[in-house]
Structure formats: C-alpha cells, structure tokens
Amino acid sequence: MLSIIAQNELVADPVELGLWQAEGVDPYFVLRFRPLRARYIAMRITARDVEVRPRLYVNKGRGFIEDDSVSIGIGSDFLIIADVGTFGTICSLRMDPCDEECKLFFRAETFRNTDELERYVSLQRQNAEGLSVAWLPTLPRFWKRFPIALFQRRRSAVAEYMSKASNLADSLVAVQQGVVRPWLSIVVPVYNAPARHLRELVESFERQNMAGTELIFSDDGSDSVETLDWLSSRKHDPNVVIVLNAVNQGIAAATNAGLKAARGDWVTLLDHDDLIAPNGLRVIQHAMSVCPEAAFLYTDELIVDDRLQPISIMLKPAYDPVLLTGVNYINHFSVYQRERLEEIGLLRVGFEGSQDYDLLLRYLDGLEEKNIVHVPYPAYWWRRTALTYSLRFLDRATDSARRALVEEFSRKGKPADVVGALTSTLHRVEFKSSSNCRPKISIIIPNLDSTALMTALLTGIFETTEYNNFEVVVIDNGSKDPTTIALYKRYAEKFANFSYYIRESSFNFSRAVNEGIARGRGEHFLLLNNDVTIVEGKWLDEMVDCLTFEKVGIVGAKLLYPNQRIQHAGVVCGLAGLAGHWYANKPSDYGGPMNRLHVRSSMTCVTGAAMLISGACVRVVGRWDEENFAVAYNDVDYCLRAHKSGFRIVWTPFACLIHHESASRGSDAHGESRRRFEREQKNLRRIHQTQIFEDPASSPGYTKDRSDPKIEILEALPAPRRWFE
C-alpha cells in the first residue's frame, strides 16, 4: 500500500485529477509504504509551461535532509523509478517536484515485478516525447547512501544560454580607466552570513579580472563567529572593503553605511548569497561605453539553487515603467550613479523586504527614458533559497512595495491605491479618479449583418458596462438582414448615445475605423470588434485608467477564446518575420515569464479587436492605412507608427473580454482573401522591417518562431537597448 501526502502549499485542482498548484517556495510530496511492499515505485512529474528541478529524499532515520537526497535533473517531464525492494526499514520518500510556483501533474504507482514496470515505462515513453526517465538502483534494506542513474538527460537550455553568452562576452575588451578612483563600487550588506556564500561571491568578483572595481561588505552587527572571522580574514585584500557596524540596524542602514564608504562613480547592490556571472562586469562596462548618456543600467538574471545549478532565467524587456508598477522585474543587476543616489537620500528605513524597490522607484523618477538602459546579459546569479528575506517575509515585503508605489504616484500628483494583481503578491495601481469627470469614449464597431453577435455585444455595452460616459458608433458596410437594421433602429430610439451609418462597400477595417473616428465626438476612441462578448462591468474603466500612465496612447485588453484559453495577451512584432499574438492558447490564468501576464505591461502592439486610442495619439499618428492594410495587420501598422512617435502602448489583464475571433468575417485562407492577406504581409515587412525588428517587450534571448517563445542560444551578444530607440 502506498500513501501520498501533499505538503507545504500544494493545492489539488478541484476538477482535473492529478493536477496540483504549487503555491509555496518548498512544496513536496511524502510517499509512505510498509516494510513489506511492492518492489518498484514509479513517479511521474509533468510541469506546465516551466522547467522544474525535482529532488528526491530518502528518510534514513534522520528525517529528510540534503545529504540523503539527489537531484533528478532539469526539465518539464520526468518518470522517476525507485527500486525500494520488497522488504526494508526505509519506508518513506520525499519528492520535491519544484521550487517555485507552477502547475504540475504528479502521480505515483507501484509495480511488483520487472515485467509490469517495463510495460508501463514503454507506454509512458510512447505517449510523451522528450520524457526523462530516472532509475534509482536498489534501495538497501537498511540505511545507506545510494547512487542514481539518469537516462535521456540533456543539458538545460538555461545552462546552454548562459555558457554561450559568457563565451561571446570573452571577446569584449575591457576599457582601461585612467583615474585612481574606482569606476564601480559593489555594496553587499551582511548579517550572520555563511562563510561559504561570502567566499563564493568574492571568488565570482575576483574572476571578473576587472580593474577599477571594489567590493564592499557592510556588516550589520553580526554576532556569528563564522561571519566575523571570515570578514576579518579579508581586511587586507586590495579590492575588498570591510565596513563593521557595531549595532544591528537592518538592511537599509547597513547598505547605506556601505554606500557611504563607496568611492566609485557607479554603484550596485548585491545580496551576500548571490554571485556575479562570468564576464558580468565586462559586459556592463561595455554597455556604458556604448551608451555614454546612460544614467541607469540593469541586466538579466540567472536563478540558481544553493549548489549554483541553473533553475531558470529572467530575460527582461527594455525599460517598461508600467510593468515596473506591477512587479520589480528590474531587481538585480542595477547600476546607479553614486552622486544621484546621494541626492535622493540613499535607501530608506521602513521598507524592509522591498527597500531596493523603493530606492529604484525614487531613483528613476525624473530620469529620461533614453538614459535607462537594459543590458540583455544574465550578469547576476540569484541564489534562490527559502532563506531569502522576501520569501521568508513575503507579506511584509509586499506591504513595503505597495507603500513605495503609493508614494511614487503621490509624488507625481496622481493619488492611487495599490492592491493585489492576478498574482496576489504582485501589484495593481488603482487611480483615484472621480466618476463624475470621466472622459467621453467613442466606441467604434465595424459590422455587416451578424445580428446575434451585435445583439450580444450591445447588450454587454449598455447593460453590463459600468463606465458612464460613452457613445457607440456603428460603421456598417452594407447590412441587408432586416433583423440587423431593426436592431440598430431599436437602440437608436432608446439611447441618444447610439448611432449607426450604413454604406455598402467591400470590407476595409481601416476605412471603417477612420470613418468612425471622424464621426465620433469623444475625447478618446475605442475600437471594438462585433464578435466580442463583455463579461464584467469594470473593463472600460480599467482601459481608460491605463491612459493615466505617462506617454500612453493606446491600451489593449486581455481577450479569451470561448473555451477560456488566451487569444490576446499582446502582440509581439517580429514573430515569424511579421507579428503574432503572445502566449496564444495558454490557459486563462497563465502567468508567463515573471508572471508578466498577471500585471499591466507595455507592448509595441495590441490587437484592434479591443483597442483604446487616446485623442492625442489620433491627432499625432493620423489615419489608419486603408490602402496597404485594409483587413490584416492594420492594428500592427498603427501601433508601430504610434510607437515610433513616442507613444507607449499598454496591455492590461484587468480588462478581460471574450473574443470569437473572425466569427463574422471568415477565413483568409483561400482565393482573393488569401492573395490580399499575402500582399498585406509584404507591406508590413516593407514598411516596418518586421523581419529584423527586435521587440523591446520581448528579449533577444527568446525565439521568434512561436507564440510561446523558448530560449534561443545566442549567435552574437545582444546590444544594450532602450524602449524608444
């Protein structure tokens, strides 16, 4: 008999048997069996949309400890076979399937003999391409260390990416500094840190072999003999500075003491248990030489376990202030000008757990975007363990982050509250705007017949939508169905803010938009497909609120297919040489990298099926292109023109609609429609060079051949980048 006990925030899906949501930082299953048992236990782990690193523990009388554990590898689909023997005193295993939030399938079965097991393994392999099978040789009857053999194990894409990026960075030539003062000071707050972590950080610093850098350890009144002895042993290192603070005052005060000792023109903050990636400082210095106007730089991050094995990677977008209000995606490696840090008063006490986030928001306030540079290189290795402050004290860190955001918008004269996003520990800024002075929105709906679709849409607008200042303008290109005409007349008689215009013509979405904007009397304009269904009341309030962010000219909504899979989470320009929807067909609650799909973020394009355009953007960008983009890619063209004009485009998951894509217009797969579609593809490449476009919302480290991009091994080191180049 085998019993399975889920522990530490593993939540079973109420519908799908065997599906679990891991919500904590250290979820695990305990498998218990009797001294007399079936010989083999087969454990299947299948992670959704992420790579995981399972670890198996055996309880040998000392509990489940690291010494009695083994890593199974990195991947998304595993079959682990444990030969526990038919009799023994070892009667429990612990399986840690992952070390971060994710969804996964887990099941375990027992087999009495080899024949049964081999048939099972064969069947599993047939039905799962890329399945990794791990065999645990015979578990001894009594306590004893055990080996493991892993078959079909591949080096992870994350490890390959880091290795190739580091090799490419080898060719960069370090800039010789002609001054005595360091160009970079690295400040590390310390409190009772393990000597091993400090030693590994120093080793990573020394391997940089970069002149003009200093590493400053600022101790916050440690009482650990191990920590103090180690710090004392490094006092005479020429490039290591030790600052000893007599009293423990917290991480902000300790960091500030280190910053006050810094001599570099630039400074960065590291955690004591993290590392600098090979060639990290060389790449940062190179970016400074390429972008001499930079006032702030940040890099990508590699996430590693306590043994410095890669877990995952954070490939970041170019600077996105909207995304930053939802999640501190910038984090490390952040490189600041020391003089500006001193001007804003360094770190503030009272923001524990998010003190770096508060510092970042204050530092970036007032900086021109052209001076904020993303360096797409994983220069920082973040050692993720359960001891990380923000993980141990997540509630306090979340509260600190939200107070920092409230103060940030207060400084800008935009009072706001901050609440949880679709991931509860991330953030949603709620602006305090009066419902009595909301701008008028002209909702423009192109249509032809489609009575059922229009009935559902108009019902949603007039009966479900809570926004109180809008008009509806229907642009009809020749409806003949009397029920459609009757629908128009009924709404026109009932609502003064409804109008319709019928003119028989071939379908041209751009022309319909231009006519709707010309006829609209609103301050802003919302394009809405007739095959959209409205399911909640606050969607339009949310889209209008997003115009409060600086430079925003266009806002897009989250669209779901009727089966609750994602239809639109933003459009990435350059996919397949053209443009494509990001993470299409993923589950509605899919978070994406860094849970970006659970917060607002900037894109270079959103779909015209539900697109809010500010009046200012309309006046600057002008008309939609009726000649080159009659039906396809007109939204991509318009968004790219807005992007090139300096307008920010925001996608929000907090306005969620159902989209029956192309339900009324039909397919572009045949005949003249197909030829027109191919012409418009060529026009997009010709006008916007999408075949070579590097979308700032994505990363050069992602493939461009699919909606859910994978890591792409680099052929050349990506250049430093800004959102508006």
Side-chain angles (χ1 to χ4, degrees):
M1 180 178 177
L2 177 69
S3 65
I4 303 173
I5 304 169
Q7 298 283 353
N8 210 9
E9 297 186 89
L10 270 167
V11 181
D13 188 278
V15 177
E16 199 164 354
L17 186 64
L19 179 63
W20 297 83
Q21 173 70 50
E23 297 180 346
V25 298
D26 189 25
Y28 61 90
F29 297 95
V30 175
L31 290 78
R32 301 189 186 281
F33 39 92
R34 295 172 177 173
L36 289 171
R37 64 277 186 123
R39 179 173 177 179
Y40 300 103
I41 299 176
M43 293 161 277
R44 181 74 181 271
I45 299 171
T46 305
R48 281 189 172 179
D49 308 313
V50 297
E51 287 191 329
V52 294
R53 189 181 183 89
R55 179 171 287 274
L56 184 67
Y57 295 76
V58 177
N59 184 355
K60 301 179 180 180
R62 299 178 293 176
F64 296 114
I65 63 174
E66 290 294 320
D67 286 347
D68 297 331
S69 72
V70 63
S71 175
I72 306 300
I74 300 175
S76 58
D77 198 3
F78 294 91
L79 180 62
I80 302 117
I81 312 297
D83 182 351
V84 298
T86 56
F87 171 77
T89 57
I90 297 175
C91 294
S92 62
L93 302 173
R94 167 177 154 173
M95 172 54 69
D96 289 24
C98 59
D99 49 16
E100 59 183 330
E101 293 185 3
C102 69
K103 282 191 174 181
L104 56 88
F105 283 95
F106 179 81
R107 60 181 178 271
E109 301 183 46
T110 59
F111 299 91
R112 293 194 171 277
N113 57 61
T114 305
D115 290 341
E116 289 180 1
L117 177 64
E118 288 180 348
R119 284 195 296 270
Y120 175 78
V121 172
S122 177
L123 182 63
Q124 298 300 304
R125 281 176 163 159
Q126 289 174 16
N127 297 330
E129 182 180 353
L131 176 68
S132 293
V133 181
W135 294 83
L136 181 67
T138 304
L139 196 67
R141 294 174 60 190
F142 304 99
W143 304 329
K144 181 180 175 183
R145 290 299 302 269
F146 57 90
I148 189 169
L150 181 63
F151 299 92
Q152 299 182 346
R153 180 175 177 180
R154 299 172 296 173
R155 189 178 186 183
S156 74
V158 172
E160 290 283 1
Y161 184 91
M162 183 68 245
S163 177
K164 186 63 179 289
S166 178
N167 290 339
L168 290 169
D170 282 337
S171 62
L172 296 178
V173 178
V175 178
Q176 298 301 315
Q177 303 294 320
V179 294
V180 176
R181 189 171 64 194
W183 66 273
L184 178 67
S185 297
I186 302 168
V187 176
V188 183
V190 174
Y191 179 70
N192 288 345
R196 175 172 68 91
H197 289 171
L198 300 174
R199 182 181 68 253
E200 289 173 348
L201 173 55
V202 169
E203 289 171 352
S204 75
F205 170 71
E206 292 174 340
R207 282 194 295 268
Q208 303 297 311
N209 194 28
M210 287 290 293
T213 59
E214 63 178 0
L215 182 61
I216 301 172
F217 289 101
S218 181
D219 181 70
D220 190 25
S222 290
D223 54 17
S224 163
V225 174
E226 177 187 359
T227 301
L228 294 173
D229 286 350
W230 187 91
L231 291 172
S232 178
S233 72
R234 307 299 301 207
K235 282 185 177 180
H236 303 294
D237 287 8
N239 297 321
V240 176
V241 178
I242 305 297
V243 177
L244 297 176
N245 300 286
V247 180
N248 176 256
Q249 294 183 302
I251 189 171
T255 304
N256 286 342
L259 288 169
K260 291 172 183 176
R263 298 175 297 147
D265 294 325
W266 297 85
V267 296
T268 188
L269 311 178
L270 270 63
D271 293 336
H272 74 268
D273 52 351
D274 298 333
L275 291 90
I276 307 170
N279 289 317
L281 300 188
R282 187 181 301 271
V283 173
I284 290 170
Q285 188 191 61
H286 173 75
M288 290 178 175
S289 67
V290 172
C291 306
E293 73 285 1
F296 178 79
L297 304 95
Y298 67 97
T299 74
D300 294 340
E301 300 176 53
L302 185 73
I303 301 171
V304 299
D305 63 17
D306 194 47
R307 302 182 182 185
L308 307 183
Q309 296 301 306
I311 298 173
S312 60
I313 194 167
M314 295 173 65
L315 300 177
K316 303 175 184 179
Y319 174 58
D320 180 358
V322 177
L323 177 61
L324 188 61
T325 66
V327 55
N328 182 10
Y329 78 94
I330 288 179
N331 206 20
H332 297 300
F333 217 111
S334 297
V335 186
Y336 303 83
Q337 290 177 327
R338 181 169 59 86
E339 183 177 348
R340 182 174 175 85
L341 275 184
E342 293 170 350
E343 289 173 357
I344 66 171
L346 306 180
L347 279 79
R348 296 194 293 179
V349 174
F351 289 85
E352 282 73 19
S354 292
Q355 65 283 337
D356 289 0
Y357 189 29
D358 171 65
L359 178 72
L360 179 64
L361 293 171
R362 291 185 291 116
Y363 183 93
L364 295 178
D365 191 8
L367 279 188
E368 292 187 53
E369 284 196 30
K370 66 180 181 180
N371 297 331
I372 301 172
V373 176
H374 170 224
V375 183
Y377 181 85
Y380 192 84
W381 286 12
W382 177 20
R383 191 196 313 250
R384 181 179 291 179
T385 70
L387 297 179
T388 303
Y389 180 94
S390 60
L391 295 181
R392 287 186 295 145
F393 304 100
L394 193 54
D395 289 344
R396 187 175 184 182
T398 301
D399 178 68
S400 295
R402 291 178 184 169
R403 285 191 292 110
L405 283 166
V406 167
E407 291 192 19
E408 166 72 7
F409 282 96
S410 178
R411 289 192 296 269
K412 295 178 182 294
K414 300 176 181 179
D417 293 325
V418 181
V419 297
L422 299 187
T423 293
S424 61
T425 53
L426 302 183
H427 320 300
R428 177 184 182 181
V429 177
E430 292 186 335
F431 297 102
K432 297 179 180 179
S433 56
S434 171
S435 59
N436 297 322
C437 60
R438 303 291 269 167
K440 185 172 185 176
I441 307 300
S442 293
I443 302 176
I444 300 166
I445 308 172
N447 186 55
L448 174 65
D449 293 321
S450 308
T451 306
L453 291 174
M454 282 297 291
T455 299
L457 176 57
L458 293 176
T459 299
I461 293 173
F462 284 94
E463 297 183 16
T464 304
T465 301
E466 297 180 18
Y467 195 86
N468 60 8
N469 192 11
F470 66 86
E471 64 171 354
V472 173
V473 181
V474 177
I475 304 299
D476 189 300
N477 64 310
S479 285
K480 296 291 194 293
D481 186 346
T483 60
T484 301
I485 308 302
L487 178 69
Y488 293 162
K489 289 180 178 179
R490 188 164 65 252
Y491 269 88
E493 291 171 359
K494 186 175 182 180
F495 299 103
N497 58 341
F498 177 87
S499 60
Y500 65 97
Y501 304 90
I502 302 175
R503 183 178 67 176
E504 187 170 354
S505 63
S506 60
F507 179 72
N508 186 313
F509 186 82
S510 294
R511 184 169 62 236
V513 170
N514 288 334
E515 185 172 351
I517 290 175
R519 293 181 180 276
R521 295 167 295 173
E523 184 177 340
H524 309 303
F525 304 89
L526 175 73
L527 313 184
L528 205 57
N529 274 19
N530 63 356
D531 55 356
V532 165
T533 300
I534 294 164
V535 293
E536 56 88 17
K538 293 289 188 181
W539 68 279
L540 187 50
D541 292 85
E542 166 62 17
M543 295 183 77
V544 174
D545 279 350
C546 288
L547 294 177
T548 309
F549 291 104
E550 295 178 11
K551 297 183 179 180
V552 174
I554 294 175
V555 180
K558 178 178 181 178
L559 302 181
L560 301 178
Y561 288 114
N563 65 359
Q564 295 295 302
R565 311 289 286 190
I566 291 175
Q567 190 268 326
H568 175 253
V571 174
V572 173
C573 296
L575 283 187
L578 293 159
H581 286 223
W582 219 15
Y583 297 105
N585 280 306
K586 292 292 186 182
S588 61
D589 60 353
Y590 180 69
M594 299 179 288
N595 274 328
R596 283 180 60 178
L597 303 191
H598 286 179
V599 297
R600 302 173 180 125
S601 65
S602 300
M603 304 295 296
T604 52
C605 183
V606 293
T607 180
M611 176 192 290
L612 178 64
I613 312 172
S614 73
C617 185
V618 167
R619 291 187 289 273
V620 171
V621 179
R623 293 169 60 84
W624 284 52
D625 190 336
E626 301 176 16
E627 180 179 352
N628 291 302
F629 303 103
V631 178
Y633 298 110
N634 35 55
D635 45 9
V636 178
D637 167 70
Y638 194 84
C639 284
L640 284 174
R641 287 159 55 199
H643 170 74
K644 292 170 184 176
S645 297
F647 287 99
R648 187 167 294 281
I649 297 155
V650 169
W651 174 84
T652 173
F654 309 126
C656 187
L657 308 169
I658 304 298
H659 186 202
H660 308 262
E661 188 179 23
S662 300
S664 60
R665 185 171 61 82
S667 171
D668 290 324
H670 306 289
E672 178 54 34
S673 293
R674 179 66 186 178
R675 289 188 288 273
R676 185 262 313 147
F677 182 67
E678 291 173 348
R679 286 195 301 271
E680 291 174 350
Q681 286 182 321
K682 291 179 181 178
N683 292 340
L684 188 67
R685 295 189 188 99
R686 173 176 55 84
I687 295 171
H688 294 293
Q689 301 295 299
T690 53
Q691 66 273 23
I692 58 172
F693 188 84
E694 288 290 349
D695 196 317
S698 185
S699 166
Y702 284 135
T703 59
K704 297 181 180 180
D705 61 341
R706 53 194 296 159
S707 175
D708 56 334
K710 303 300 181 185
I711 294 173
E712 181 171 54
I713 307 305
L714 301 171
E715 296 299 326
L717 203 63
R721 61 197 194 131
R722 291 155 287 212
W723 193 276
F724 297 105
E725 293 287 358

